[in-house]
Amino acid sequence: MGVLDKFDLTGKTALVTGCKRGIGRGMAEALASAGADIIGVSASLEPSGSAVEEAVAALGRKFSAYRCDFSDRQNVRQFAETALREHPKIDILVNNAGTIRRAPAVDHDDALWDEVIEVNLSAQFVLTREIGRAMIERGAGKIIFTASLLTFQGGITVPGYSASKGGIGQLTMAFANEWASKGVNVNAIAPGYIDTDNTEALRNDPDRSRAILERIPAGRWGTPEDFAGPIVFLASEASDYMHGTIVTVDGGWMGR
């Protein structure tokens, strides 16, 4: 087997949450390009005919669409049951779904906190536990979380988001510690400042946008396409000896 063969995902099935747009869509399309069939789920994903479905189909791969309200834990459990019933062999789980609510800490009320923690952390734990159980039984699986620069830093006016992404970093390592010996790789990707819906407020603020760009060594905002290589790597045999690692895709931000 040549080294490039290790990146081949032909015959694999990947479940990608938050796949409708942005980083999640970029990841789903990259995995399909490498040969994987896609189970796509988002809170508002169209039952058929979505842009991500059309992109995956154009690559010759299957796409199965689902909706899930990640702020509703019972809905997450029900989705996991449905996904496992209809797709008994899920080889790759990409925990990308997330939300962000911006407000200074003194104005960040309980409802904002609870929503962000539930969507970004609790739902991901529940889904990983349920999908991961089947991976452990097979002795193989790849799980990738979407972390953040705020896994390492505090951020500004996003205390719930920062707490949730810090938790994702710890959760990645906690799962990896338990599951590495069982054939399941658990790692994470930490995006930097990416041109998506989540950063629209920052990009529209001239002062914040300028300050951010001045600190990024690459000198630009990232794009969803920047995640194609890292997600395929972590989902493939090429990363078989990686466990509990958080890979930054940030234009060099964390190197400053």
Side-chain angles (χ1 to χ4, degrees):
M1 176 186 287
V3 66
L4 294 182
D5 295 325
K6 291 181 176 293
F7 293 84
D8 185 8
L9 299 179
T10 300
K12 304 292 186 180
T13 297
L15 193 164
V16 183
T17 72
C19 71
K20 183 176 180 178
R21 57 184 179 269
I23 293 172
R25 176 178 170 182
M27 289 177 169
E29 292 178 11
L31 293 169
S33 181
D37 292 325
I38 306 298
I39 303 167
V41 56
S42 290
S44 60
L45 185 64
E46 298 89 337
S48 63
S50 66
V52 62
E53 178 176 5
E54 291 178 354
V56 169
L59 292 166
R61 309 315 309 167
K62 298 177 183 177
F63 184 90
S64 302
Y66 295 88
R67 283 188 179 183
C68 180
D69 179 358
F70 291 96
S71 68
D72 181 336
R73 196 170 303 187
Q74 184 58 33
N75 196 203
V76 174
R77 290 196 186 99
Q78 291 171 348
F79 166 68
E81 292 174 3
T82 299
L84 286 167
R85 183 175 63 252
E86 298 181 358
H87 307 274
K89 186 174 180 286
I90 297 172
D91 304 286
I92 302 156
L93 170 62
V94 180
N95 283 305
N96 174 73
T99 191
I100 190 167
R101 295 290 182 262
R102 299 182 185 278
V106 295
D107 300 319
H108 202 86
D109 63 30
D110 291 356
L112 293 180
W113 174 272
D114 290 344
E115 178 191 2
V116 173
I117 294 297
E118 190 66 36
V119 172
N120 291 6
L121 187 59
S122 298
Q124 303 202 29
F125 169 75
V126 171
L127 191 58
T128 300
R129 181 188 64 201
E130 299 306 310
I131 303 298
R133 182 180 290 114
M135 292 179 173
I136 289 171
E137 291 173 356
R138 292 195 308 274
K142 298 281 186 172
I143 298 172
I144 304 103
F145 287 93
T146 295
S148 169
L149 292 182
L150 300 194
T151 299
F152 313 102
Q153 301 174 334
I156 300 172
T157 70
V158 287
Y161 184 83
S162 297
S164 70
K165 291 301 184 178
I168 286 296
Q170 295 302 115
L171 199 57
T172 298
M173 292 183 283
F175 274 121
N177 287 341
E178 292 191 35
W179 293 358
S181 64
K182 303 180 187 301
V184 179
N185 297 75
V186 185
N187 293 289
I189 294 174
Y193 286 90
I194 312 301
D195 187 351
T196 65
D197 293 350
N198 274 1
T199 60
E200 184 175 6
L202 296 177
R203 288 181 286 108
N204 289 339
D205 182 328
D207 293 333
R208 289 294 307 281
S209 181
R210 182 174 58 255
I212 288 168
L213 284 173
E214 287 174 351
R215 176 169 169 163
I216 299 173
R220 66 172 176 87
W221 291 79
T223 68
E225 291 74 23
D226 289 317
F227 296 86
I231 193 64
V232 170
F233 170 58
L234 290 178
S236 72
E237 292 181 19
S239 61
D240 276 356
Y241 198 56
M242 290 184 67
H243 298 275
T245 297
I246 303 172
V247 178
T248 55
V249 181
D250 62 355
W253 177 280
M254 289 300 296
R256 292 294 291 266

